[in-house]
Amino acid sequence: MDRVSAQPKLDRGYGKIARKLGRTYGQYRASTAFNPISDQNKVGDLDCLFDPKSDFSVQRVALYGKTIWFAAVDRTTVEVGDYFVGGNGTWFIASMQDIAPTMAVKCNAVASIYRPGSGQHDPYYPAPEGTQTDTLTGWPVSFLEGTKGERSVLNGPLDTRVPWFDVLMPVFNTGDVRTHDRLRLDDGTEWVISSPELTELGWRLTCGLVTA
């Protein structure tokens, strides 16, 4: 049996696991750079099992700082970048390699990315209203603490380190992300993107907190 003929059988097998042990999730596929999990982007409902380990033993719990999961799903109608939304959380599909289990990223925040106007690239201050260009809006992302941060510019005796976070999100063909772009979370905080890395699994962004 070669890889081509094996894949459909694997997909059917993962689908059986999902129907037996998983849950039903809403499946969404972005059609624009704005609000990918809106009703207009819903593909349908699909059974899926998300597990921290690729053996799908359902005997391990998630650990701190671990955002990569594995998805048991019949991926016949699934594409990389699809979102799965349900009562147990939100994930996006990061990788669908031949033979290998499907890799997913669990999301814990919703982010929008915009580009400040010309001359508004100071990373320590928010961009003035009306001078920005929205790049991506309303995207569920993984937002986890990265490094320990750095000292503030003033470096006062009571100053704490400015936090840095790592962001994982899908790639969208019109959603270009650049250094100095701003990321705004659904909690209202703003972050400056210092390092946008486009990987085989999607965007990996390093962000520092914007201070007023």
Side-chain angles (χ1 to χ4, degrees), residues 84-146:
F84 285 85
V85 182
N88 203 34
T90 297
W91 285 262
F92 71 82
I93 302 300
S95 174
M96 290 173 51
Q97 299 178 8
D98 291 343
I99 306 300
T102 299
M103 185 182 298
V105 173
K106 189 168 188 179
C107 302
N108 63 341
V110 176
S112 298
I113 295 176
Y114 68 89
R115 185 157 300 143
S118 177
Q120 301 295 334
H121 287 248
D122 187 335
Y124 295 103
Y125 296 92
E129 293 293 334
T131 64
Q132 65 191 47
T133 301
D134 293 330
T135 303
L136 296 160
T137 301
W139 286 70
V141 301
S142 167
F143 190 82
L144 295 178
E145 186 174 1

Short mmCIF file of all heavy atoms in Angstrom, two decimals, residues 84-146:
data_model
loop_
_atom_site.label_atom_id
_atom_site.label_comp_id
_atom_site.label_asym_id
_atom_site.label_seq_id
_atom_site.Cartn_x
_atom_site.Cartn_y
_atom_site.Cartn_z
N PHE A 84 -12.19 25.34 13.88
CA PHE A 84 -13.21 24.49 14.47
C PHE A 84 -13.62 25.12 15.80
O PHE A 84 -12.78 25.32 16.68
CB PHE A 84 -12.68 23.07 14.67
CG PHE A 84 -12.59 22.29 13.40
CD1 PHE A 84 -11.47 22.38 12.58
CD2 PHE A 84 -13.63 21.47 13.00
CE1 PHE A 84 -11.39 21.68 11.39
CE2 PHE A 84 -13.57 20.75 11.82
CZ PHE A 84 -12.45 20.86 11.01
N VAL A 85 -14.90 25.41 15.92
CA VAL A 85 -15.42 26.15 17.06
C VAL A 85 -16.50 25.32 17.75
O VAL A 85 -17.45 24.85 17.10
CB VAL A 85 -16.01 27.50 16.63
CG1 VAL A 85 -16.51 28.29 17.85
CG2 VAL A 85 -14.96 28.33 15.87
N GLY A 86 -16.34 25.12 19.06
CA GLY A 86 -17.33 24.35 19.82
C GLY A 86 -17.29 24.71 21.28
O GLY A 86 -16.53 25.59 21.71
N GLY A 87 -18.08 24.00 22.07
CA GLY A 87 -18.16 24.28 23.49
C GLY A 87 -16.88 23.98 24.24
O GLY A 87 -16.69 24.44 25.37
N ASN A 88 -16.00 23.21 23.61
CA ASN A 88 -14.75 22.82 24.26
C ASN A 88 -13.57 23.69 23.84
O ASN A 88 -12.44 23.46 24.27
CB ASN A 88 -14.44 21.35 23.94
CG ASN A 88 -13.53 20.72 24.97
OD1 ASN A 88 -13.60 21.05 26.14
ND2 ASN A 88 -12.67 19.81 24.52
N GLY A 89 -13.84 24.69 23.00
CA GLY A 89 -12.76 25.59 22.60
C GLY A 89 -12.76 25.87 21.11
O GLY A 89 -13.64 25.42 20.36
N THR A 90 -11.73 26.60 20.68
CA THR A 90 -11.55 26.97 19.28
C THR A 90 -10.14 26.58 18.85
O THR A 90 -9.17 26.87 19.54
CB THR A 90 -11.75 28.48 19.08
OG1 THR A 90 -13.10 28.84 19.42
CG2 THR A 90 -11.49 28.89 17.63
N TRP A 91 -10.04 25.94 17.70
CA TRP A 91 -8.76 25.53 17.13
C TRP A 91 -8.67 25.96 15.67
O TRP A 91 -9.71 26.12 15.01
CB TRP A 91 -8.60 24.01 17.16
CG TRP A 91 -8.30 23.38 18.48
CD1 TRP A 91 -7.07 23.01 18.97
CD2 TRP A 91 -9.24 23.03 19.52
NE1 TRP A 91 -7.20 22.45 20.22
CE2 TRP A 91 -8.51 22.45 20.58
CE3 TRP A 91 -10.62 23.14 19.63
CZ2 TRP A 91 -9.11 21.98 21.74
CZ3 TRP A 91 -11.24 22.69 20.78
CH2 TRP A 91 -10.49 22.12 21.82
N PHE A 92 -7.45 26.11 15.16
CA PHE A 92 -7.29 26.18 13.71
C PHE A 92 -6.32 25.08 13.26
O PHE A 92 -5.44 24.67 14.01
CB PHE A 92 -6.82 27.56 13.23
CG PHE A 92 -5.39 27.94 13.57
CD1 PHE A 92 -4.33 27.50 12.79
CD2 PHE A 92 -5.12 28.76 14.65
CE1 PHE A 92 -3.02 27.87 13.08
CE2 PHE A 92 -3.81 29.14 14.96
CZ PHE A 92 -2.76 28.68 14.16
N ILE A 93 -6.53 24.60 12.05
CA ILE A 93 -5.72 23.51 11.50
C ILE A 93 -4.41 24.11 10.98
O ILE A 93 -4.41 24.96 10.10
CB ILE A 93 -6.45 22.77 10.38
CG1 ILE A 93 -7.78 22.20 10.91
CG2 ILE A 93 -5.58 21.66 9.80
CD1 ILE A 93 -7.64 21.23 12.05
N ALA A 94 -3.30 23.63 11.53
CA ALA A 94 -1.99 24.18 11.19
C ALA A 94 -1.26 23.34 10.16
O ALA A 94 -0.44 23.87 9.39
CB ALA A 94 -1.13 24.32 12.44
N SER A 95 -1.50 22.03 10.14
CA SER A 95 -0.75 21.16 9.24
C SER A 95 -1.56 19.91 8.92
O SER A 95 -2.22 19.35 9.80
CB SER A 95 0.59 20.76 9.89
OG SER A 95 1.27 19.81 9.10
N MET A 96 -1.52 19.50 7.65
CA MET A 96 -2.16 18.26 7.21
C MET A 96 -1.18 17.51 6.30
O MET A 96 -1.38 17.39 5.11
CB MET A 96 -3.47 18.57 6.46
CG MET A 96 -4.58 19.09 7.36
SD MET A 96 -6.04 19.62 6.44
CE MET A 96 -6.36 18.21 5.40
N GLN A 97 -0.12 17.01 6.89
CA GLN A 97 0.88 16.27 6.12
C GLN A 97 0.39 14.86 5.83
O GLN A 97 -0.40 14.29 6.58
CB GLN A 97 2.19 16.22 6.90
CG GLN A 97 2.79 17.60 7.17
CD GLN A 97 4.07 17.52 7.97
OE1 GLN A 97 4.60 16.44 8.21
NE2 GLN A 97 4.58 18.66 8.40
N ASP A 98 0.86 14.32 4.71
CA ASP A 98 0.48 12.96 4.33
C ASP A 98 0.85 11.97 5.44
O ASP A 98 1.93 12.06 6.03
CB ASP A 98 1.18 12.56 3.03
CG ASP A 98 0.65 13.32 1.83
OD1 ASP A 98 -0.45 13.90 1.94
OD2 ASP A 98 1.34 13.35 0.80
N ILE A 99 -0.05 11.05 5.71
CA ILE A 99 0.14 9.98 6.67
C ILE A 99 0.13 10.48 8.12
O ILE A 99 -0.49 9.89 9.00
CB ILE A 99 1.44 9.17 6.41
CG1 ILE A 99 1.47 8.68 4.97
CG2 ILE A 99 1.55 8.00 7.37
CD1 ILE A 99 0.33 7.77 4.60
N ALA A 100 0.81 11.59 8.38
CA ALA A 100 0.95 12.10 9.75
C ALA A 100 -0.38 12.61 10.28
O ALA A 100 -1.27 13.02 9.53
CB ALA A 100 1.99 13.21 9.79
N PRO A 101 -0.55 12.61 11.61
CA PRO A 101 -1.77 13.16 12.21
C PRO A 101 -1.93 14.65 11.90
O PRO A 101 -0.94 15.36 11.69
CB PRO A 101 -1.55 12.93 13.72
CG PRO A 101 -0.55 11.85 13.80
CD PRO A 101 0.34 12.02 12.62
N THR A 102 -3.15 15.10 11.88
CA THR A 102 -3.44 16.51 11.63
C THR A 102 -3.08 17.34 12.86
O THR A 102 -3.47 17.02 13.98
CB THR A 102 -4.93 16.69 11.30
OG1 THR A 102 -5.24 15.93 10.13
CG2 THR A 102 -5.27 18.14 11.07
N MET A 103 -2.33 18.42 12.64
CA MET A 103 -1.89 19.27 13.74
C MET A 103 -2.79 20.50 13.83
O MET A 103 -3.16 21.10 12.82
CB MET A 103 -0.44 19.72 13.53
CG MET A 103 0.15 20.51 14.68
SD MET A 103 1.86 21.04 14.33
CE MET A 103 2.66 19.44 14.17
N ALA A 104 -3.17 20.86 15.06
CA ALA A 104 -4.04 22.01 15.28
C ALA A 104 -3.47 22.89 16.39
O ALA A 104 -2.69 22.43 17.23
CB ALA A 104 -5.45 21.54 15.66
N VAL A 105 -3.86 24.14 16.38
CA VAL A 105 -3.44 25.11 17.40
C VAL A 105 -4.68 25.57 18.16
O VAL A 105 -5.67 25.99 17.54
CB VAL A 105 -2.73 26.31 16.76
CG1 VAL A 105 -2.46 27.39 17.81
CG2 VAL A 105 -1.43 25.88 16.09
N LYS A 106 -4.63 25.49 19.48
CA LYS A 106 -5.76 25.94 20.29
C LYS A 106 -5.66 27.44 20.52
O LYS A 106 -4.61 27.97 20.87
CB LYS A 106 -5.80 25.22 21.64
CG LYS A 106 -7.09 25.52 22.40
CD LYS A 106 -7.29 24.60 23.59
CE LYS A 106 -8.68 24.82 24.20
NZ LYS A 106 -8.93 23.93 25.35
N CYS A 107 -6.79 28.11 20.32
CA CYS A 107 -6.83 29.57 20.42
C CYS A 107 -7.37 30.00 21.78
O CYS A 107 -8.26 29.36 22.34
CB CYS A 107 -7.73 30.15 19.32
SG CYS A 107 -7.21 29.70 17.64
N ASN A 108 -6.82 31.08 22.30
CA ASN A 108 -7.28 31.61 23.59
C ASN A 108 -7.52 33.11 23.56
O ASN A 108 -7.72 33.73 24.60
CB ASN A 108 -6.26 31.27 24.68
CG ASN A 108 -4.91 31.92 24.45
OD1 ASN A 108 -4.59 32.33 23.34
ND2 ASN A 108 -4.11 32.02 25.50
N ALA A 109 -7.49 33.70 22.36
CA ALA A 109 -7.72 35.15 22.24
C ALA A 109 -8.20 35.43 20.82
O ALA A 109 -8.09 34.58 19.93
CB ALA A 109 -6.45 35.94 22.55
N VAL A 110 -8.74 36.63 20.64
CA VAL A 110 -9.14 37.11 19.31
C VAL A 110 -8.36 38.38 19.03
O VAL A 110 -8.32 39.29 19.86
CB VAL A 110 -10.65 37.37 19.23
CG1 VAL A 110 -11.02 37.95 17.87
CG2 VAL A 110 -11.43 36.10 19.50
N ALA A 111 -7.72 38.44 17.86
CA ALA A 111 -6.82 39.55 17.57
C ALA A 111 -7.15 40.19 16.23
O ALA A 111 -7.67 39.54 15.31
CB ALA A 111 -5.37 39.06 17.55
N SER A 112 -6.83 41.47 16.14
CA SER A 112 -6.89 42.21 14.88
C SER A 112 -5.54 42.87 14.66
O SER A 112 -4.88 43.29 15.62
CB SER A 112 -8.00 43.27 14.93
OG SER A 112 -9.26 42.68 15.11
N ILE A 113 -5.11 42.95 13.41
CA ILE A 113 -3.82 43.54 13.08
C ILE A 113 -4.04 44.72 12.16
O ILE A 113 -4.82 44.64 11.19
CB ILE A 113 -2.90 42.50 12.41
CG1 ILE A 113 -2.57 41.38 13.41
CG2 ILE A 113 -1.61 43.15 11.90
CD1 ILE A 113 -1.75 40.25 12.83
N TYR A 114 -3.39 45.83 12.48
CA TYR A 114 -3.49 47.00 11.62
C TYR A 114 -2.11 47.61 11.42
O TYR A 114 -1.17 47.35 12.17
CB TYR A 114 -4.47 48.03 12.19
CG TYR A 114 -4.03 48.71 13.46
CD1 TYR A 114 -3.28 49.90 13.43
CD2 TYR A 114 -4.38 48.19 14.71
CE1 TYR A 114 -2.90 50.53 14.60
CE2 TYR A 114 -3.98 48.82 15.88
CZ TYR A 114 -3.24 49.99 15.81
OH TYR A 114 -2.85 50.61 16.98
N ARG A 115 -2.01 48.44 10.38
CA ARG A 115 -0.74 49.09 10.04
C ARG A 115 -0.87 50.59 10.31
O ARG A 115 -1.73 51.25 9.74
CB ARG A 115 -0.39 48.83 8.58
CG ARG A 115 0.97 49.34 8.13
CD ARG A 115 1.43 48.57 6.92
NE ARG A 115 1.53 47.15 7.24
CZ ARG A 115 1.21 46.17 6.38
NH1 ARG A 115 0.78 46.46 5.17
NH2 ARG A 115 1.32 44.90 6.75
N PRO A 116 -0.03 51.12 11.21
CA PRO A 116 -0.09 52.56 11.48
C PRO A 116 0.25 53.37 10.24
O PRO A 116 0.96 52.89 9.34
CB PRO A 116 0.97 52.76 12.57
CG PRO A 116 1.19 51.41 13.16
CD PRO A 116 0.97 50.44 12.04
N GLY A 117 -0.26 54.59 10.20
CA GLY A 117 0.03 55.48 9.09
C GLY A 117 1.49 55.89 9.06
O GLY A 117 2.25 55.65 10.01
N SER A 118 1.89 56.51 7.99
CA SER A 118 3.27 56.94 7.82
C SER A 118 3.69 57.85 8.95
O SER A 118 2.98 58.78 9.33
CB SER A 118 3.44 57.66 6.48
OG SER A 118 4.75 58.14 6.32
N GLY A 119 4.86 57.57 9.52
CA GLY A 119 5.36 58.40 10.60
C GLY A 119 4.84 58.03 11.97
O GLY A 119 5.17 58.66 12.96
N GLN A 120 4.02 56.94 12.06
CA GLN A 120 3.45 56.53 13.34
C GLN A 120 3.94 55.15 13.75
O GLN A 120 3.18 54.28 14.10
CB GLN A 120 1.91 56.54 13.24
CG GLN A 120 1.33 57.88 12.87
CD GLN A 120 1.59 58.94 13.94
OE1 GLN A 120 1.77 58.61 15.10
NE2 GLN A 120 1.62 60.19 13.54
N HIS A 121 5.25 54.94 13.70
CA HIS A 121 5.81 53.63 13.99
C HIS A 121 6.54 53.58 15.32
O HIS A 121 7.31 52.67 15.56
CB HIS A 121 6.75 53.20 12.86
CG HIS A 121 6.02 52.83 11.61
ND1 HIS A 121 5.97 51.53 11.13
CD2 HIS A 121 5.28 53.56 10.75
CE1 HIS A 121 5.25 51.50 10.02
NE2 HIS A 121 4.82 52.71 9.77
N ASP A 122 6.31 54.56 16.17
CA ASP A 122 6.93 54.53 17.49
C ASP A 122 6.31 53.38 18.27
O ASP A 122 5.11 53.37 18.54
CB ASP A 122 6.67 55.85 18.22
CG ASP A 122 7.43 55.94 19.54
OD1 ASP A 122 7.75 54.87 20.10
OD2 ASP A 122 7.71 57.05 19.99
N PRO A 123 7.08 52.36 18.65
CA PRO A 123 6.49 51.17 19.28
C PRO A 123 5.97 51.41 20.68
O PRO A 123 5.31 50.54 21.24
CB PRO A 123 7.67 50.19 19.31
CG PRO A 123 8.88 51.05 19.32
CD PRO A 123 8.52 52.24 18.48
N TYR A 124 6.24 52.58 21.26
CA TYR A 124 5.84 52.79 22.66
C TYR A 124 4.54 53.57 22.80
O TYR A 124 4.10 53.82 23.91
CB TYR A 124 6.98 53.51 23.41
CG TYR A 124 8.22 52.67 23.49
CD1 TYR A 124 9.31 52.92 22.67
CD2 TYR A 124 8.30 51.59 24.36
CE1 TYR A 124 10.45 52.14 22.72
CE2 TYR A 124 9.43 50.79 24.42
CZ TYR A 124 10.50 51.08 23.60
OH TYR A 124 11.62 50.29 23.64
N TYR A 125 3.92 53.96 21.70
CA TYR A 125 2.70 54.74 21.78
C TYR A 125 1.68 54.22 20.77
O TYR A 125 2.03 53.86 19.65
CB TYR A 125 2.98 56.22 21.53
CG TYR A 125 3.88 56.83 22.57
CD1 TYR A 125 5.26 56.87 22.39
CD2 TYR A 125 3.36 57.32 23.76
CE1 TYR A 125 6.09 57.41 23.36
CE2 TYR A 125 4.19 57.86 24.73
CZ TYR A 125 5.55 57.90 24.52
OH TYR A 125 6.38 58.42 25.49
N PRO A 126 0.39 54.22 21.15
CA PRO A 126 -0.64 53.80 20.21
C PRO A 126 -0.71 54.76 19.02
O PRO A 126 -0.40 55.93 19.14
CB PRO A 126 -1.93 53.86 21.05
CG PRO A 126 -1.47 53.85 22.47
CD PRO A 126 -0.15 54.53 22.49
N ALA A 127 -1.12 54.23 17.87
CA ALA A 127 -1.28 55.07 16.69
C ALA A 127 -2.52 55.94 16.82
O ALA A 127 -3.54 55.50 17.36
CB ALA A 127 -1.39 54.20 15.43
N PRO A 128 -2.48 57.18 16.35
CA PRO A 128 -3.66 58.04 16.40
C PRO A 128 -4.80 57.46 15.59
O PRO A 128 -4.59 56.77 14.59
CB PRO A 128 -3.16 59.35 15.79
CG PRO A 128 -1.68 59.30 15.91
CD PRO A 128 -1.31 57.86 15.79
N GLU A 129 -6.02 57.71 16.04
CA GLU A 129 -7.19 57.25 15.32
C GLU A 129 -7.21 57.86 13.91
O GLU A 129 -6.85 59.00 13.69
CB GLU A 129 -8.47 57.65 16.06
CG GLU A 129 -8.65 56.93 17.39
CD GLU A 129 -8.89 55.45 17.21
OE1 GLU A 129 -9.41 55.07 16.15
OE2 GLU A 129 -8.54 54.67 18.13
N GLY A 130 -7.66 57.04 12.95
CA GLY A 130 -7.80 57.54 11.59
C GLY A 130 -6.54 57.46 10.76
O GLY A 130 -6.55 57.85 9.59
N THR A 131 -5.44 56.98 11.33
CA THR A 131 -4.18 56.90 10.58
C THR A 131 -3.77 55.46 10.31
O THR A 131 -2.65 55.22 9.90
CB THR A 131 -3.05 57.60 11.35
OG1 THR A 131 -2.81 56.89 12.57
CG2 THR A 131 -3.41 59.04 11.65
N GLN A 132 -4.66 54.52 10.50
CA GLN A 132 -4.30 53.11 10.40
C GLN A 132 -5.01 52.42 9.25
O GLN A 132 -6.06 52.86 8.78
CB GLN A 132 -4.64 52.40 11.71
CG GLN A 132 -6.13 52.36 12.00
CD GLN A 132 -6.43 51.89 13.40
OE1 GLN A 132 -5.82 52.34 14.36
NE2 GLN A 132 -7.38 50.97 13.52
N THR A 133 -4.42 51.31 8.80
CA THR A 133 -5.01 50.47 7.77
C THR A 133 -5.21 49.07 8.34
O THR A 133 -4.24 48.43 8.77
CB THR A 133 -4.10 50.39 6.53
OG1 THR A 133 -3.90 51.70 6.01
CG2 THR A 133 -4.73 49.52 5.46
N ASP A 134 -6.45 48.61 8.39
CA ASP A 134 -6.73 47.28 8.93
C ASP A 134 -6.22 46.21 7.98
O ASP A 134 -6.48 46.26 6.77
CB ASP A 134 -8.23 47.11 9.16
CG ASP A 134 -8.76 48.02 10.26
OD1 ASP A 134 -7.97 48.32 11.17
OD2 ASP A 134 -9.93 48.42 10.19
N THR A 135 -5.50 45.23 8.53
CA THR A 135 -4.95 44.13 7.74
C THR A 135 -5.73 42.85 7.96
O THR A 135 -6.15 42.18 7.02
CB THR A 135 -3.47 43.90 8.10
OG1 THR A 135 -2.74 45.10 7.88
CG2 THR A 135 -2.88 42.80 7.23
N LEU A 136 -5.93 42.48 9.21
CA LEU A 136 -6.69 41.29 9.60
C LEU A 136 -7.55 41.67 10.79
O LEU A 136 -7.07 42.29 11.74
CB LEU A 136 -5.76 40.14 9.97
CG LEU A 136 -4.85 39.59 8.85
CD1 LEU A 136 -3.67 38.82 9.45
CD2 LEU A 136 -5.65 38.68 7.93
N THR A 137 -8.81 41.27 10.78
CA THR A 137 -9.73 41.66 11.85
C THR A 137 -10.47 40.45 12.38
O THR A 137 -11.00 39.64 11.63
CB THR A 137 -10.75 42.69 11.33
OG1 THR A 137 -10.06 43.85 10.85
CG2 THR A 137 -11.70 43.12 12.44
N GLY A 138 -10.48 40.31 13.73
CA GLY A 138 -11.31 39.30 14.38
C GLY A 138 -10.84 37.87 14.20
O GLY A 138 -11.66 36.96 14.09
N TRP A 139 -9.52 37.64 14.26
CA TRP A 139 -8.98 36.30 14.06
C TRP A 139 -8.67 35.63 15.40
O TRP A 139 -7.89 36.18 16.20
CB TRP A 139 -7.71 36.35 13.21
CG TRP A 139 -7.98 36.63 11.77
CD1 TRP A 139 -8.42 37.79 11.22
CD2 TRP A 139 -7.87 35.70 10.68
NE1 TRP A 139 -8.58 37.67 9.87
CE2 TRP A 139 -8.25 36.39 9.50
CE3 TRP A 139 -7.47 34.36 10.59
CZ2 TRP A 139 -8.25 35.78 8.25
CZ3 TRP A 139 -7.47 33.76 9.34
CH2 TRP A 139 -7.86 34.45 8.19
N PRO A 140 -9.24 34.47 15.68
CA PRO A 140 -8.82 33.71 16.88
C PRO A 140 -7.35 33.30 16.75
O PRO A 140 -6.92 32.85 15.68
CB PRO A 140 -9.75 32.50 16.88
CG PRO A 140 -10.95 32.93 16.10
CD PRO A 140 -10.40 33.83 15.02
N VAL A 141 -6.61 33.46 17.82
CA VAL A 141 -5.17 33.18 17.81
C VAL A 141 -4.77 32.49 19.10
O VAL A 141 -5.49 32.52 20.10
CB VAL A 141 -4.34 34.47 17.65
CG1 VAL A 141 -4.69 35.20 16.36
CG2 VAL A 141 -4.53 35.40 18.85
N SER A 142 -3.60 31.90 19.08
CA SER A 142 -2.94 31.47 20.31
C SER A 142 -2.06 32.61 20.78
O SER A 142 -1.23 33.12 20.02
CB SER A 142 -2.10 30.22 20.06
OG SER A 142 -1.24 29.97 21.16
N PHE A 143 -2.24 33.02 22.04
CA PHE A 143 -1.52 34.17 22.59
C PHE A 143 -0.93 33.76 23.92
O PHE A 143 -1.62 33.72 24.94
CB PHE A 143 -2.50 35.34 22.75
CG PHE A 143 -1.84 36.65 23.09
CD1 PHE A 143 -1.29 37.44 22.11
CD2 PHE A 143 -1.80 37.08 24.41
CE1 PHE A 143 -0.69 38.66 22.43
CE2 PHE A 143 -1.20 38.29 24.74
CZ PHE A 143 -0.65 39.08 23.75
N LEU A 144 0.35 33.39 23.92
CA LEU A 144 0.99 32.87 25.11
C LEU A 144 2.27 33.63 25.40
O LEU A 144 2.95 34.10 24.48
CB LEU A 144 1.32 31.38 24.96
CG LEU A 144 0.14 30.42 24.82
CD1 LEU A 144 0.64 29.00 24.62
CD2 LEU A 144 -0.79 30.50 26.02
N GLU A 145 2.60 33.72 26.69
CA GLU A 145 3.79 34.45 27.10
C GLU A 145 5.03 33.82 26.50
O GLU A 145 5.21 32.60 26.50
CB GLU A 145 3.90 34.49 28.62
CG GLU A 145 5.05 35.35 29.12
CD GLU A 145 5.06 35.49 30.63
OE1 GLU A 145 4.17 34.92 31.29
OE2 GLU A 145 5.94 36.19 31.15
N GLY A 146 5.90 34.68 25.96
CA GLY A 146 7.14 34.21 25.37
C GLY A 146 8.31 34.40 26.30
O GLY A 146 8.47 33.68 27.29
#
